[in-house]
Amino acid sequence: MSRAGAASRGYEAELQKGLTELRARREELHGRIRAEEAERERLQGQIVTLTQRLLRSSESLARLLAEGGELDRLIAETEAAYGQV
């Protein structure tokens, strides 16, 4: 019976070792998950900031293009009037 008890203790020790290794892997994985979540949050913050900058830039560009169109129109009208004189 002592042989069976020794085998049982050996299996138990192996099981404990395996559980310890699995727990260590789980902790490492949780650390990597936390790091990825932090990176994702940082990138999402950049997306918000860049989206706002893009919107402001697009609005500014639209105003500048409208102003350029208005100047082109005024130049064309002035040239047409000058040509009639």
Side-chain angles (χ1 to χ4, degrees), residues 58-74:
S58 295
E59 290 170 347
S60 175
L61 180 59
R63 283 190 304 273
L64 292 171
L65 289 170
E67 185 178 333
E70 181 65 21
L71 288 174
D72 288 343
R73 187 186 64 75
L74 288 172

Side-chain angles (χ1 to χ4, degrees), residues 11-40:
Y11 293 140
E12 186 177 329
E14 285 295 316
L15 179 60
Q16 288 297 324
K17 180 181 173 188
L19 284 172
T20 300
E21 289 173 1
L22 289 173
R23 287 183 180 119
R25 286 177 54 193
R26 179 180 62 187
E27 287 305 311
E28 178 188 345
L29 179 61
H30 282 245
R32 290 171 46 199
I33 289 170
R34 284 189 296 274
E36 285 296 323
E37 287 173 338
E39 175 69 1
R40 183 174 187 259

